[in-house]
Amino acid sequence: MDDLTNLQKMVPHTTETLQKERQKASFSIREMDYFINGEQYIEEKNKALEVIRAEPKVFDQRNIYFMSRTEKIEHALIQEKRVQELLRDKKITQEVLQSIYSIMDWHTPFEITRLMFIPTIEQQGTEQQKEAFLNPAKEYKIIGCYAQTEMGHGSNIRSIETTATFIEETDEFEINSPTLSSTKWWVGSLGIASTHACVMAQLYVKGNHIGLFPIIVPIRSMLDHSPLAGVTVGDIGPKLGYNTMDNGFLSLNKVRVPRFNLLQKYITVSRDGAVSRPANINPRITYSTMVFVRANIAANMGRQLAKGVTIAVRYTSVRRQFGELGQPETPVLDYSIVQYRIIPLLAKTYAMIGMSHEFFAQYKKSVNQINNGKFTMLKEMHAVSCGLKIWSSNTGVYGVDTCRHVCGGHGFSMFSGLNEFFNNIYPNMIVEGDNYMLAKQTTSYLVKSAHDINQRKHVELNDTTNMISRFMNIDNQVPPQQLFTWSVLEPSQ
Amino acid sequence: MDDLTNLQKMVPHTTETLQKERQKASFSIREMDYFINGEQYIEEKNKALEVIRAEPKVFDQRNIYFMSRTEKIEHALIQEKRVQELLRDKKITQEVLQSIYSIMDWHTPFEITRLMFIPTIEQQGTEQQKEAFLNPAKEYKIIGCYAQTEMGHGSNIRSIETTATFIEETDEFEINSPTLSSTKWWVGSLGIASTHACVMAQLYVKGNHIGLFPIIVPIRSMLDHSPLAGVTVGDIGPKLGYNTMDNGFLSLNKVRVPRFNLLQKYITVSRDGAVSRPANINPRITYSTMVFVRANIAANMGRQLAKGVTIAVRYTSVRRQFGELGQPETPVLDYSIVQYRIIPLLAKTYAMIGMSHEFFAQYKKSVNQINNGKFTMLKEMHAVSCGLKIWSSNTGVYGVDTCRHVCGGHGFSMFSGLNEFFNNIYPNMIVEGDNYMLAKQTTSYLVKSAHDINQRKHVELNDTTNMISRFMNIDNQVPPQQLFTWSVLEPSQ
């Protein structure tokens, strides 16, 4: 074949076009970066880039679109190993580690041991349990997952079928998932990586149903990683995205574990089967965790959409099509048909990131209050976090899709970077409460608040109820022209 | 690992639930099938299923989600070979062949030789050219593609850079693509399969630019399939979907072909460089081809969406979540939050398929008129086909996405059948005129017609202009309450 490196250069060249576009900015890009991202975020990102550039072989992602799923997982595990070494040697912080994975733009089979298994033991384990499970987990001597969802049970957690029955004779729990629908399913890091699973099971003691609780179950041999007796475990197969994650299935056939393995912060079962729960636990605290997880999704979607918009804006700046005769064709970004699709998305990335700063500030405030026994902010935080999660994940996922479509044919190539990317962020609309399910949480709060305000009942004063009061304008306390900001704007503005 | 075949059965069982749902139909499913699909379509589908079932090894698609791209292409080629044998032996018709591929639900690297290379020579070749290229193509002795799009030139066909220059000394054309942006790109069946390309090139004769014309260029050796001198050719790499198709690139460095290879129906260049075009060719005829291609996309999208809706309706019938205590959980299809997403899509599949029958009937009528030299229907057919292509591809692609989302977590698994499927139909929004570009064609026609009607100028009478006249209601000829069907409905209806 011919050597294509000697082809005539493009006129005007891509580099030249991009430089020209960048010079048009009416503000300092550096100042904007500090304003919207903050100094700490930028420093962590720079440190992450430094680590990645120092070891090009480990962190090279150029061939990922040609790799099989197995090759991708092997590559991701090599990266995970290296990153964990750097963390252990205190060369990087936990935040820089997160930043590295954000740049790598994929997941690894050890992610859930980091993000869910370890935190669950930290939050719900006793000191003895931490010694038994947390310390080896932190040293990667055991790898864990969080096995809640079952094939037949996702949104409706209460209907989970897997049972943990106290066997007084041997001082053990017997874990059982007797049906296909009770098979644990979708569990991240379970398919190939985990030695242990934190299994959510219906607890039965002396014939009484106690409730849903987490229990640590060893599932694979510490010698040769083969499944233990009674354990059927594997990968659930290829998915739209997330294919470097080994989402797995787990069927437990009357598997016995010591009584010790039930995480004991919220429940204890004594040697003779007496069940007790600590008195000072407010069940609403778990709401606070869900608020935090959703706030993280909202914040992350802003950053993800920013990636997509960056690709689309750059491409549409250099892609030229039609124009005046004898001139270089017009950059497609100059057409209103393209602008009206991308520019609002560009604005939304700023809105999302800015909004997430504000929401985290409010979250911090609410956590401080909760630590002082005051739960007044929690209801609104829950309702708002649900709404934010829905809006930001819908906007982010379909925003990236718009970025892809605006790149025309070339957007369809994997090399656009927008396809595996779209596939990987898609589950944000489904996990941590499907968006259609979650909407009910937000609307219930809004409707109930509006109803209470209308009935002149007491409601918590917060941004949401203030806005509803203002909107309902009972007794016409606010002159119509002051009702909303935009109503006082002059027509010319 | 344990044997999972002895797990307890689901209550109620999936089969039982589906049977119950099906019994609720208030009409004969068989009659509806004949009404909406027609007898011929059903017979072809049954014949296709018979062929597929007779050779389970060749047509087995069970493992496709575990195959690499190379394995998929090899599997698709084995199928193509078998299907072509059956066609050659007159065991199946061309229509049954199409039906087989519709069921296989993917594309093969020989598709473009069938769907574009052969038809182009049939339409634009002389008898001599048909003997030289068409006959061997029909016998698969040569494989061809249609190389129009270039890396830098998609929608704006006029700016295509590749040139074909007449060399009088040797009685040849010299084909040249001197820049990166002039490299042929996205061309189906080019990456690995084609021996010949039908190249769209700017024709130059004696220094004069004649226009864009198709010319047959041999690109790979008939002995060992290696690229010929001056030819750089290959696969453009992985894409979101269509990965069993070898979309390719082609750079031609002053490649010479005989003058004979210029397809001569619309243009001839004589031995001494005299250019002539037949007098009886109306350039509007090519519009008719585009109308046909778009009508096919519209018809196909209805059938594709029907597949997605079938999967979603079946899954949401058997998927149960929440419900009354002590009862089996409620099928999620029974929730309005699910119904309002799927049921309108179900209705739209019928609307799309029905609409495509009507549109093809109108198309046939217009072709008959064109054959009699009457072009009056063409403008409206063009405008309507653009609008239909936009609406049906947007509705189809995002309808399948809704079907996926409504399947919750399991929709994200490749085994839902909705993911590679979504990826494969996605380009319908981009090819044959990007939807955003095409919209202008339809709106221009509507606005111009409305303007002419308002100015009381003559417009062609057809469904569209009739509707516009009615809507504009000049001189209030129609009483307001009769203006549209729905305005005469009683409020209770």
Side-chain angles (χ1 to χ4, degrees), chain A residues 103-163:
Chain A
I103 295 168
M104 291 291 99
D105 204 17
W106 66 7
H107 307 268
T108 90
F110 285 0
E111 188 177 283
I112 300 302
T113 204
R114 269 193 276 118
L115 297 184
M116 292 189 79
F117 186 69
I118 289 176
T120 303
I121 300 171
E122 273 172 345
Q123 286 158 24
Q124 302 196 33
T126 61
E127 287 311 310
Q128 274 180 303
Q129 288 179 318
K130 285 180 187 170
E131 203 170 301
F133 304 120
L134 187 61
N135 294 348
K138 280 184 168 173
E139 290 171 14
Y140 281 56
K141 286 178 181 162
I142 68 174
I143 307 291
C145 59
Y146 186 83
Q148 176 174 298
T149 299
E150 297 178 352
M151 185 186 249
H153 312 284
S155 298
N156 190 10
I157 298 167
R158 285 188 193 179
S159 68
I160 277 176
E161 291 175 67
T162 299
T163 53

Coordinates of all heavy atoms in Angstrom, one line a residue, chain A residues 103-163:
Chain A
I103 N -9.9 10.0 34.5 CA -9.2 10.2 33.2 C -9.1 8.9 32.4 O -9.3 8.9 31.2 CB -7.8 10.8 33.5 CG1 -7.9 12.2 34.1 CG2 -7.0 10.8 32.2 CD1 -6.6 12.7 34.7
M104 N -8.9 7.8 33.1 CA -8.9 6.5 32.4 C -10.2 6.2 31.8 O -10.3 5.6 30.8 CB -8.5 5.4 33.4 CG -7.1 5.3 33.9 SD -5.9 4.9 32.6 CE -5.4 6.6 32.2
D105 N -11.3 6.7 32.4 CA -12.6 6.7 31.9 C -13.2 5.3 31.8 O -13.9 5.0 30.8 CB -12.6 7.4 30.5 CG -14.0 7.9 30.1 OD1 -14.8 8.0 30.9 OD2 -14.2 8.2 28.9
W106 N -12.8 4.5 32.7 CA -13.5 3.2 32.8 C -13.5 2.6 34.2 O -13.0 3.3 35.1 CB -13.0 2.2 31.8 CG -11.5 1.7 31.9 CD1 -10.7 2.0 33.0 CD2 -10.8 0.9 31.0 NE1 -9.5 1.4 32.7 CE2 -9.5 0.7 31.5 CE3 -11.1 0.3 29.8 CZ2 -8.6 0.0 30.8 CZ3 -10.2 -0.4 29.1 CH2 -8.9 -0.6 29.7
H107 N -14.0 1.4 34.4 CA -14.1 0.9 35.7 C -13.2 -0.4 35.8 O -12.9 -0.9 34.8 CB -15.5 0.5 36.0 CG -16.4 1.7 35.8 ND1 -16.8 2.6 36.8 CD2 -17.0 2.2 34.7 CE1 -17.5 3.5 36.3 NE2 -17.7 3.3 35.0
T108 N -12.9 -0.8 37.0 CA -12.1 -2.0 37.2 C -12.8 -3.0 38.1 O -13.6 -2.6 38.9 CB -10.7 -1.7 37.7 OG1 -10.7 -1.8 39.2 CG2 -10.1 -0.4 37.3
P109 N -12.5 -4.3 38.0 CA -13.2 -5.3 38.8 C -12.9 -5.1 40.3 O -13.4 -5.8 41.1 CB -12.6 -6.6 38.3 CG -12.1 -6.3 36.9 CD -11.6 -4.9 37.0
F110 N -12.0 -4.2 40.7 CA -11.7 -4.0 42.1 C -12.5 -2.8 42.6 O -12.3 -2.4 43.8 CB -10.2 -3.9 42.4 CG -9.5 -5.2 42.3 CD1 -10.1 -6.4 42.0 CD2 -8.1 -5.2 42.6 CE1 -9.4 -7.6 42.0 CE2 -7.4 -6.4 42.5 CZ -8.1 -7.6 42.2
E111 N -13.3 -2.1 41.8 CA -13.9 -0.8 42.2 C -14.8 -1.0 43.3 O -14.9 -0.2 44.2 CB -14.6 -0.3 40.9 CG -15.1 1.1 41.2 CD -15.8 1.7 39.9 OE1 -15.0 2.1 39.0 OE2 -17.0 1.7 39.9
I112 N -15.6 -2.1 43.3 CA -16.7 -2.2 44.3 C -16.1 -2.6 45.7 O -16.6 -2.2 46.7 CB -17.7 -3.2 43.9 CG1 -18.4 -2.7 42.5 CG2 -18.8 -3.4 44.9 CD1 -19.0 -1.3 42.6
T113 N -15.0 -3.3 45.7 CA -14.3 -3.5 47.0 C -13.9 -2.2 47.6 O -14.1 -2.0 48.8 CB -13.1 -4.5 46.8 OG1 -12.9 -5.2 48.1 CG2 -11.8 -3.8 46.4
R114 N -13.5 -1.3 46.8 CA -13.1 0.1 47.3 C -14.3 0.9 47.7 O -14.3 1.5 48.7 CB -12.4 0.8 46.2 CG -10.9 0.7 46.1 CD -10.3 1.7 45.2 NE -10.3 1.3 43.8 CZ -10.9 1.9 42.8 NH1 -11.6 3.0 43.1 NH2 -10.9 1.5 41.6
L115 N -15.3 0.9 46.8 CA -16.4 1.9 46.9 C -17.6 1.4 47.7 O -18.4 2.2 48.2 CB -16.9 2.4 45.5 CG -15.9 3.1 44.6 CD1 -16.6 3.5 43.3 CD2 -15.3 4.3 45.3
M116 N -17.7 0.1 47.9 CA -18.9 -0.4 48.6 C -18.5 -1.4 49.7 O -19.1 -1.3 50.8 CB -19.9 -1.0 47.7 CG -20.5 0.1 46.8 SD -22.0 -0.5 45.8 CE -23.2 -0.5 47.1
F117 N -17.7 -2.3 49.5 CA -17.4 -3.4 50.5 C -16.7 -2.8 51.7 O -17.2 -2.9 52.8 CB -16.5 -4.5 49.8 CG -16.3 -5.7 50.7 CD1 -17.3 -6.6 51.0 CD2 -15.0 -5.9 51.2 CE1 -17.1 -7.7 51.8 CE2 -14.8 -7.1 52.0 CZ -15.8 -7.9 52.3
I118 N -15.6 -2.1 51.4 CA -14.8 -1.5 52.5 C -15.7 -0.4 53.3 O -15.8 -0.5 54.5 CB -13.5 -0.9 52.0 CG1 -12.6 -2.0 51.6 CG2 -12.9 0.1 53.0 CD1 -11.2 -1.6 51.0
P119 N -16.4 0.5 52.6 CA -17.2 1.5 53.4 C -18.3 0.8 54.2 O -18.6 1.3 55.3 CB -17.8 2.4 52.3 CG -16.8 2.3 51.1 CD -16.3 0.9 51.2
T120 N -18.9 -0.3 53.7 CA -20.0 -0.9 54.4 C -19.4 -1.5 55.8 O -20.1 -1.3 56.8 CB -20.6 -2.0 53.6 OG1 -21.1 -1.5 52.4 CG2 -21.8 -2.7 54.3
I121 N -18.3 -2.1 55.7 CA -17.7 -2.7 56.9 C -17.3 -1.5 57.9 O -17.5 -1.6 59.1 CB -16.5 -3.6 56.6 CG1 -17.0 -4.8 55.7 CG2 -15.9 -4.2 57.9 CD1 -15.8 -5.6 55.2
E122 N -16.8 -0.5 57.3 CA -16.4 0.7 58.1 C -17.6 1.2 58.9 O -17.5 1.6 60.0 CB -15.8 1.8 57.2 CG -14.3 1.6 57.0 CD -13.7 2.6 56.0 OE1 -14.5 3.2 55.3 OE2 -12.5 2.7 56.0
Q123 N -18.7 1.3 58.2 CA -19.9 1.9 58.8 C -20.7 0.9 59.7 O -21.3 1.3 60.6 CB -20.9 2.4 57.7 CG -20.4 3.7 57.0 CD -21.0 3.9 55.6 OE1 -22.1 3.3 55.3 NE2 -20.3 4.6 54.8
Q124 N -20.7 -0.4 59.3 CA -21.6 -1.3 60.0 C -20.9 -2.4 60.8 O -21.6 -3.2 61.4 CB -22.6 -1.9 59.0 CG -23.4 -0.8 58.3 CD -24.7 -1.3 57.6 OE1 -25.3 -2.3 58.1 NE2 -25.0 -0.8 56.5
G125 N -19.6 -2.4 60.8 CA -18.9 -3.4 61.5 C -18.4 -3.0 62.9 O -18.2 -1.8 63.1
T126 N -18.3 -4.0 63.8 CA -17.7 -3.7 65.1 C -16.2 -3.7 64.9 O -15.6 -4.0 63.9 CB -18.1 -4.8 66.1 OG1 -17.5 -6.1 65.6 CG2 -19.6 -5.0 66.2
E127 N -15.5 -3.3 66.0 CA -14.0 -3.3 66.0 C -13.4 -4.7 65.6 O -12.5 -4.8 64.8 CB -13.4 -2.8 67.3 CG -13.6 -1.3 67.5 CD -13.2 -0.4 66.3 OE1 -12.1 -0.6 65.8 OE2 -14.1 0.4 65.9
Q128 N -14.0 -5.7 66.2 CA -13.5 -7.1 65.9 C -13.8 -7.4 64.4 O -12.9 -8.1 63.8 CB -14.3 -8.1 66.8 CG -13.7 -8.3 68.1 CD -14.6 -9.3 68.9 OE1 -15.8 -9.1 69.0 NE2 -14.0 -10.4 69.3
Q129 N -14.9 -7.0 63.9 CA -15.2 -7.3 62.5 C -14.3 -6.6 61.6 O -13.9 -7.1 60.5 CB -16.7 -7.0 62.2 CG -17.6 -8.0 62.9 CD -19.1 -7.7 62.6 OE1 -19.5 -6.6 62.7 NE2 -19.9 -8.7 62.4
K130 N -14.0 -5.3 62.0 CA -13.0 -4.5 61.2 C -11.7 -5.2 61.1 O -11.0 -5.3 60.1 CB -12.9 -3.1 61.7 CG -14.1 -2.3 61.4 CD -14.0 -0.9 62.0 CE -15.3 -0.1 61.8 NZ -15.3 1.2 62.5
E131 N -11.3 -5.8 62.3 CA -10.0 -6.5 62.3 C -10.0 -7.7 61.3 O -9.1 -8.0 60.6 CB -9.7 -6.9 63.7 CG -8.2 -7.2 63.9 CD -7.9 -7.3 65.4 OE1 -8.3 -6.4 66.2 OE2 -7.4 -8.4 65.8
A132 N -11.2 -8.4 61.4 CA -11.3 -9.7 60.6 C -11.4 -9.4 59.1 O -10.9 -10.1 58.3 CB -12.5 -10.5 61.1
F133 N -12.2 -8.3 58.7 CA -12.5 -8.2 57.3 C -12.0 -6.9 56.7 O -11.5 -6.9 55.6 CB -14.1 -8.2 57.1 CG -14.7 -9.4 57.6 CD1 -15.7 -9.3 58.6 CD2 -14.4 -10.6 57.1 CE1 -16.4 -10.5 59.1 CE2 -15.0 -11.8 57.6 CZ -16.0 -11.7 58.6
L134 N -12.0 -5.8 57.5 CA -11.6 -4.5 56.9 C -10.1 -4.4 56.6 O -9.7 -4.0 55.5 CB -12.0 -3.4 57.9 CG -11.8 -1.9 57.3 CD1 -12.7 -1.7 56.1 CD2 -12.2 -0.9 58.4
N135 N -9.3 -4.8 57.6 CA -7.8 -4.7 57.4 C -7.4 -5.6 56.2 O -6.7 -5.0 55.4 CB -7.1 -5.1 58.7 CG -7.4 -4.1 59.8 OD1 -7.9 -3.0 59.5 ND2 -7.0 -4.4 61.0
P136 N -7.7 -6.9 56.1 CA -7.3 -7.6 54.9 C -7.9 -7.0 53.6 O -7.2 -7.1 52.6 CB -7.8 -9.0 55.2 CG -8.8 -8.9 56.3 CD -8.4 -7.7 57.1
A137 N -9.1 -6.4 53.7 CA -9.7 -5.9 52.5 C -8.8 -4.7 52.0 O -8.6 -4.5 50.8 CB -11.1 -5.4 52.7
K138 N -8.4 -3.9 53.0 CA -7.6 -2.7 52.7 C -6.3 -3.1 52.1 O -5.7 -2.3 51.3 CB -7.4 -1.8 53.9 CG -8.6 -0.9 54.2 CD -8.3 0.0 55.4 CE -9.4 1.0 55.5 NZ -9.2 1.8 56.8
E139 N -5.8 -4.3 52.5 CA -4.5 -4.7 51.9 C -4.7 -5.6 50.7 O -3.8 -6.3 50.2 CB -3.7 -5.5 53.0 CG -3.2 -4.6 54.1 CD -2.6 -5.4 55.2 OE1 -2.4 -6.6 55.1 OE2 -2.4 -4.8 56.3
Y140 N -6.0 -5.7 50.2 CA -6.3 -6.5 49.0 C -6.0 -8.0 49.2 O -5.9 -8.7 48.3 CB -5.6 -6.0 47.7 CG -6.3 -4.8 47.1 CD1 -6.5 -3.6 47.9 CD2 -6.7 -4.8 45.8 CE1 -7.1 -2.5 47.4 CE2 -7.3 -3.6 45.3 CZ -7.5 -2.5 46.1 OH -8.1 -1.4 45.6
K141 N -6.0 -8.4 50.5 CA -5.9 -9.8 50.8 C -7.2 -10.5 50.5 O -7.3 -11.7 50.2 CB -5.3 -10.1 52.2 CG -3.9 -9.7 52.3 CD -3.4 -9.9 53.7 CE -1.9 -9.6 53.8 NZ -1.5 -9.3 55.2
I142 N -8.3 -9.8 50.8 CA -9.6 -10.3 50.4 C -10.2 -9.2 49.5 O -9.9 -8.0 49.7 CB -10.5 -10.6 51.6 CG1 -10.9 -9.4 52.4 CG2 -9.9 -11.7 52.5 CD1 -12.0 -9.7 53.5
I143 N -11.0 -9.6 48.6 CA -11.7 -8.7 47.7 C -13.2 -8.9 47.9 O -13.7 -10.0 47.9 CB -11.4 -9.0 46.2 CG1 -9.9 -9.0 46.0 CG2 -12.1 -8.0 45.3 CD1 -9.2 -7.7 46.1
G144 N -13.9 -7.8 48.0 CA -15.4 -8.0 48.4 C -16.3 -7.3 47.4 O -15.9 -6.4 46.7
C145 N -17.6 -7.6 47.5 CA -18.6 -7.0 46.7 C -19.8 -6.8 47.6 O -19.8 -7.2 48.8 CB -19.0 -7.8 45.5 SG -19.6 -9.5 46.0
Y146 N -20.8 -6.1 47.1 CA -22.0 -5.8 47.9 C -23.2 -6.4 47.2 O -23.7 -5.9 46.2 CB -22.2 -4.3 48.0 CG -23.3 -3.9 48.9 CD1 -23.1 -3.8 50.3 CD2 -24.5 -3.5 48.4 CE1 -24.2 -3.4 51.1 CE2 -25.6 -3.1 49.2 CZ -25.4 -3.0 50.6 OH -26.4 -2.6 51.4
A147 N -23.7 -7.6 47.7 CA -24.7 -8.4 46.9 C -26.1 -8.1 47.4 O -26.6 -8.8 48.4 CB -24.3 -9.9 47.0
Q148 N -26.8 -7.1 46.8 CA -28.1 -6.8 47.2 C -29.1 -7.2 46.2 O -30.0 -8.1 46.4 CB -28.3 -5.3 47.5 CG -29.7 -4.9 47.9 CD -29.8 -3.5 48.3 OE1 -29.2 -3.1 49.3 NE2 -30.5 -2.7 47.6
T149 N -29.0 -6.6 45.0 CA -30.0 -6.9 43.9 C -30.1 -8.4 43.5 O -29.0 -9.1 43.5 CB -29.6 -6.1 42.6 OG1 -29.6 -4.7 43.0 CG2 -30.5 -6.4 41.5
E150 N -31.3 -8.9 43.3 CA -31.4 -10.3 42.9 C -32.1 -10.2 41.5 O -32.6 -9.2 41.1 CB -32.3 -11.0 43.9 CG -31.6 -11.1 45.2 CD -32.5 -11.8 46.3 OE1 -33.7 -12.1 46.1 OE2 -31.9 -12.0 47.4
M151 N -32.0 -11.4 40.8 CA -32.5 -11.4 39.4 C -33.9 -10.9 39.4 O -34.3 -10.2 38.5 CB -32.4 -12.8 38.8 CG -32.8 -12.8 37.4 SD -32.9 -14.5 36.8 CE -31.5 -14.4 35.7
G152 N -34.7 -11.3 40.4 CA -36.1 -10.9 40.4 C -36.5 -9.6 41.2 O -37.6 -9.3 41.3
H153 N -35.5 -9.0 41.8 CA -35.8 -8.0 42.8 C -34.8 -6.9 42.8 O -33.6 -7.0 43.2 CB -35.8 -8.6 44.2 CG -36.7 -9.8 44.3 ND1 -38.1 -9.8 44.2 CD2 -36.3 -11.1 44.3 CE1 -38.5 -11.0 44.2 NE2 -37.5 -11.9 44.2
G154 N -35.2 -5.7 42.2 CA -34.3 -4.6 42.1 C -34.9 -3.4 43.0 O -34.4 -3.2 44.1
S155 N -35.8 -2.7 42.4 CA -36.4 -1.5 43.1 C -37.0 -1.9 44.4 O -36.9 -1.3 45.4 CB -37.4 -0.8 42.2 OG -36.8 -0.4 41.1
N156 N -37.7 -3.1 44.4 CA -38.5 -3.5 45.7 C -37.6 -4.3 46.6 O -37.6 -5.5 46.6 CB -39.7 -4.3 45.3 CG -40.6 -4.5 46.5 OD1 -40.4 -3.9 47.5 ND2 -41.6 -5.4 46.3
I157 N -36.8 -3.6 47.4 CA -35.8 -4.3 48.2 C -36.4 -5.2 49.2 O -35.9 -6.3 49.5 CB -34.9 -3.2 48.9 CG1 -34.2 -2.4 47.9 CG2 -33.9 -3.9 49.9 CD1 -33.6 -1.1 48.5
R158 N -37.6 -4.8 49.7 CA -38.3 -5.6 50.7 C -38.6 -7.1 50.3 O -38.7 -7.9 51.1 CB -39.6 -5.0 51.1 CG -39.3 -3.8 52.0 CD -40.6 -3.2 52.5 NE -40.4 -1.9 53.1 CZ -41.4 -1.2 53.6 NH1 -42.6 -1.6 53.7 NH2 -41.1 0.0 54.1
S159 N -38.7 -7.2 48.9 CA -39.1 -8.6 48.5 C -37.9 -9.5 48.2 O -38.0 -10.6 47.7 CB -39.9 -8.5 47.2 OG -39.0 -8.0 46.1
I160 N -36.7 -9.0 48.6 CA -35.5 -9.9 48.4 C -35.7 -11.2 49.1 O -36.3 -11.3 50.2 CB -34.3 -9.1 49.0 CG1 -33.7 -8.2 47.9 CG2 -33.2 -10.1 49.5 CD1 -32.6 -7.3 48.4
E161 N -35.3 -12.3 48.4 CA -35.7 -13.6 48.8 C -34.6 -14.3 49.6 O -34.9 -15.3 50.4 CB -36.0 -14.5 47.6 CG -37.3 -14.2 46.9 CD -37.4 -15.0 45.6 OE1 -37.6 -16.2 45.7 OE2 -37.3 -14.5 44.5
T162 N -33.3 -14.0 49.4 CA -32.2 -14.7 50.0 C -32.4 -14.6 51.5 O -32.7 -13.5 52.1 CB -30.9 -14.1 49.6 OG1 -30.8 -14.3 48.2 CG2 -29.7 -14.8 50.3
T163 N -32.3 -15.8 52.2 CA -32.5 -15.8 53.7 C -31.2 -16.1 54.4 O -30.3 -16.8 53.9 CB -33.5 -16.9 54.1 OG1 -33.1 -18.1 53.5 CG2 -34.9 -16.5 53.6

